[in-house]
């Protein structure tokens, strides 16, 4: 297995619209295994293929307490949505930034599993939030896109600053 590189905002590749998975082969299984490892290693509860620069409609998630229930959704579709919830969201592609986002409380999802078999699920709460967040990635949308342009610009500047500090620190370690 391998840990994959996660793209970060405002990388334009994160705005790519993913296309449907058509081939269910060993390479797809390997991608799912690598994405799952990458998600756990980054302490995320979900990861969309878009975030690792693979523009196919698939995502992995694990919203369990013990982080021992990985799930895969290939070619996911939301068949119905109802209710409303606001949750404080974060994103591995927007590190260190959190904002409340309003989403549907209940959704019915249809997707295909790694075995190529279609399934349907009713989800609520955090599981529903996470699927909606991941499915947004697959159409090139980030949670910061729900913020005002002003706030989004503040996010961009904060990330730029974080990266500058991190690279300066890396340089310091080289010199000393
Ligand atoms: O790890 C993550 N936590 C999270 C918290 C609230 C709402 C959504 C998420 S998903 C995020 C991982 C990620 O960036 N997935 O795309
Ligand atoms: Ni995300």
């Amino acid at each position: 297995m391998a840990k994959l590189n996660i793209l970060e905002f405002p990388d334009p590749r994160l705005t790519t619209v993913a296309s449907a998975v058509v081939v269910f082969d060993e390479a797809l299984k390997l991608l799912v295994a690598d994405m799952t490892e990458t998600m756990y290693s980054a302490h995320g509860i979900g990861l969309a293929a878009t975030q690792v620069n693979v523009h196919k409609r698939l995502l992995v998630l694990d919203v369990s307490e013990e982080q021992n229930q990985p799930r895969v959704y290939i070619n996911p579709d939301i068949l119905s949505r109802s209710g409303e919830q606001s949750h404080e969201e974060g994103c591995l592609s927007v590190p260190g930034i959190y904002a409340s986002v309003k989403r549907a409380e209940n959704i019915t999802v249809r997707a295909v599993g790694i075995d190529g078999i279609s399934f349907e699920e009713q989800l609520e709460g955090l599981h529903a939030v996470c699927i909606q967040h991941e499915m947004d990635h697959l159409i090139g949308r980030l949670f910061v896109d729900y913020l005002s342009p002003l706030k989004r610009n503040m996010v961009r500047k904060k990330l730029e600053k974080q990266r500058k500090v991190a690279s300066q620190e890396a340089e310091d370690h080289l010199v000393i």
Side-chain angles (χ1 to χ4, degrees):
M1 295 219 287
K3 223 167 37 168
L4 306 170
N5 181 51
I6 298 176
L7 303 178
E8 293 186 2
F9 177 75
D11 192 312
R13 291 172 291 182
L14 286 168
T15 66
T16 310
V17 177
S19 56
V21 172
V22 287
V23 183
F24 291 75
D25 58 4
E26 284 306 309
L28 186 69
K29 284 186 180 153
L30 185 62
L31 174 62
V32 166
D34 288 347
M35 283 176 57
T36 305
E37 181 186 352
T38 304
M39 172 184 72
Y40 284 136
S41 139
H43 304 288
I45 59 170
L47 188 71
T50 306
Q51 292 176 278
V52 294
N53 201 27
V54 174
H55 302 290
K56 300 264 179 65
R57 290 188 59 80
L58 83 133
L59 63 95
V60 296
L61 64 80
D62 188 342
V63 291
S64 70
E65 294 256 305
E66 316 254 276
Q67 289 273 282
N68 59 359
Q69 287 168 51
R71 307 189 47 89
V72 186
Y73 297 81
I74 302 168
N75 299 337
D77 270 317
I78 295 181
L79 302 180
S80 70
R81 45 186 102 218
S82 65
E84 218 175 80
Q85 60 177 326
S86 287
H87 201 283
E88 189 85 351
E89 298 195 13
C91 182
L92 296 173
S93 296
V94 195
I97 309 286
Y98 303 89
S100 183
V101 179
K102 203 191 304 177
R103 300 198 188 266
E105 165 66 27
N106 300 282
I107 57 172
T108 306
V109 181
R110 183 178 57 207
V112 179
I114 194 63
D115 50 10
I117 297 170
S118 176
F119 62 92
E120 254 181 62
E121 278 179 0
Q122 324 244 58
L123 304 174
E124 59 178 17
L126 183 61
H127 202 155
V129 167
C130 193
I131 286 269
Q132 291 173 82
H133 174 114
E134 304 314 336
M135 286 182 66
D136 270 356
H137 278 299
L138 302 180
I139 55 169
R141 187 183 291 160
L142 297 174
F143 83 98
V144 292
D145 292 335
Y146 295 106
L147 305 176
S148 67
L150 187 78
K151 281 193 179 170
R152 196 159 50 249
N153 223 20
M154 284 168 58
V155 168
R156 190 177 290 126
K157 287 196 177 123
K158 194 173 165 185
L159 288 180
E160 261 170 32
K161 199 168 167 187
Q162 278 174 16
R163 283 193 274 266
K164 219 164 147 184
V165 168
S167 75
Q168 185 58 54
E169 277 171 1
E171 220 175 288
D172 292 347
H173 284 298
L174 272 179
V175 175
I176 294 166

